[in-house]
Amino acid sequence: MTIPSRVKLVDVGPRDGLQNEKQPVPAAIKIELVHRLQDAGLTEIEVTSFVSPKWVPQMADNAEVMAGVQRKAGVRYSVLTPNMQGFEAALQSGPDEIVVFGAASEAFSQKNINCSIAQSIERFRPVAQAALEKGIAVRGAISCAVGCPYEGEIAPERVEMVARLMRDIGVQHVGVADTIGVGTPSKVQKALEATLKIYGVDHVSGHFHDTYGMALANTLASLQMGIWNFDTSVAGLGGCPYAKGATGNVASEDVVYLLHGMGIDTGIDLDKLVDAGKFISDFLQRKPNSRAATALLNKRLG
């Protein structure tokens, strides 16, 4: 498989990145972040999630954020909807795509949502069907596709099973997520190979966390298989609340630097992306968790 000449990134910073922040982030800041990301050339942005504010208080302003975003033509705005209640609420805000998720680990599924993998995905069937009937795209995320904090290594067959279950309920595109960031290139390739038995290469994404510093290596290993869709998070925001010590998603800035350095087109303006990351990092009163952003910001000072 030849390396793709173009790559599409979904920035999950506003949702996956901010949902674990302890300090409240006002809706106005989240809206501004989305605006900065789309101005930087991102065409896919995961904006918020419609979950119970009891579980994720940071996302309680979901409707306000969606209503406040000045939408740009050609940009797809997605939201996470874990159940029908969340979907009904999300519907009012007109998302272009909804996201559902299932773990490739039984232990993670039980500890996270108190049910088996098969049960968890079956719960999404009415959500996926309702979305498709309304012409809303449905994306799925396979979490813990490489490793689990409770079970350890995950067999590729398990990933294939989750991909098949997702396809059966109507999920159109799946992300293979190394939720706790333990993956290495060969393990990630095996998880992707398992998924590619069920979905075509155009409908599979890589979603890598950088806990052990492997996210860029795993991105490169995925590119070598022809994967051209990736989830990234501006300024490396985010983590996993269920995985102790798991650092954030791979920084969008680092992935864009890698891709541009390989002559791969992203349609993204790296300088504007760095500015977006600095904006949210300044609000959170910390430095961007991105090597490329740090280097470029230091260079500007020079």
Side-chain angles (χ1 to χ4, degrees):
M1 184 70 83
T2 52
I3 284 185
S5 58
R6 182 172 174 81
V7 158
K8 186 165 68 183
L9 300 185
V10 177
D11 200 297
V12 300
R15 198 283 303 172
D16 198 10
L18 292 179
Q19 73 173 11
N20 298 322
E21 289 295 332
K22 297 287 177 273
Q23 68 179 100
V25 180
I29 297 284
K30 294 172 183 166
I31 292 163
E32 174 69 12
L33 178 60
V34 172
H35 289 160
R36 284 172 177 256
L37 290 172
Q38 62 190 27
D39 288 346
L42 266 301
T43 56
E44 302 253 352
I45 303 170
E46 203 169 283
V47 181
T48 186
S49 60
F50 285 81
V51 289
S52 163
K54 189 173 77 177
W55 296 112
V56 189
Q58 189 66 263
M59 298 285 130
D61 57 5
N62 42 33
E64 187 186 346
V65 172
M66 284 294 279
V69 171
Q70 289 177 351
R71 300 199 181 186
K72 200 171 177 178
V75 178
R76 184 142 81 161
Y77 304 90
S78 57
V79 299
L80 192 80
T81 56
N83 50 37
M84 273 314 282
Q85 200 180 346
F87 174 74
E88 295 292 350
L91 206 50
Q92 310 303 313
S93 69
D96 299 307
E97 179 180 63
I98 60 150
V99 184
V100 297
F101 54 91
S105 151
E106 281 297 348
F108 193 86
S109 192
Q110 290 290 354
K111 284 191 188 278
N112 194 351
I113 44 178
N114 304 319
C115 64
S116 71
I117 295 171
Q119 286 169 324
S120 76
I121 292 171
E122 196 51 44
R123 282 181 188 174
F124 293 130
R125 187 183 292 277
V127 180
Q129 294 306 315
L132 293 170
E133 279 164 23
K134 295 263 191 290
I136 298 168
V138 181
R139 179 158 55 92
I142 304 175
S143 59
C144 297
V146 187
C148 163
Y150 314 111
E151 265 181 53
E153 229 166 283
I154 296 295
E157 294 75 23
R158 194 67 70 76
V159 180
E160 184 185 343
M161 178 195 87
V162 179
R164 182 174 285 112
L165 290 170
M166 285 198 168
R167 187 195 61 190
D168 290 349
I169 65 161
V171 171
Q172 298 161 310
H173 183 111
V174 291
V176 174
D178 181 13
T179 312
I180 56 169
V182 293
T184 50
S186 55
K187 289 176 185 174
V188 163
Q189 286 183 330
K190 287 191 178 83
L192 287 167
E193 274 164 15
T195 310
L196 289 166
K197 289 179 182 173
I198 311 296
Y199 284 88
V201 74
D202 293 347
H203 303 292
V204 176
S205 299
H207 179 118
F208 307 126
H209 284 232
D210 207 27
T211 317
Y212 288 83
M214 290 288 107
L216 287 177
N218 293 337
T219 301
L220 180 57
S222 308
L223 288 167
Q224 288 166 344
M225 294 176 69
I227 299 292
W228 61 278
N229 288 283
F230 295 93
D231 296 347
T232 62
S233 180
V234 66
L237 295 172
C240 174
Y242 304 99
K244 208 173 175 191
T247 55
N249 300 285
V250 65
S252 303
E253 300 93 322
D254 294 352
V255 174
V256 170
Y257 182 82
L258 168 74
L259 296 169
H260 288 183
M262 292 174 70
I264 297 171
D265 179 29
T266 63
I268 295 168
D269 181 321
L270 181 54
D271 278 318
K272 285 186 175 177
L273 183 61
V274 168
D275 291 339
K278 186 175 185 322
F279 163 77
I280 190 64
S281 301
D282 285 349
F283 173 79
L284 296 168
Q285 298 183 305
R286 59 171 185 259
K287 289 182 161 59
N289 195 11
S290 155
R291 300 274 181 88
T294 302
L296 290 166
L297 289 166
N298 286 341
K299 206 168 162 186
R300 286 181 192 178
L301 296 171

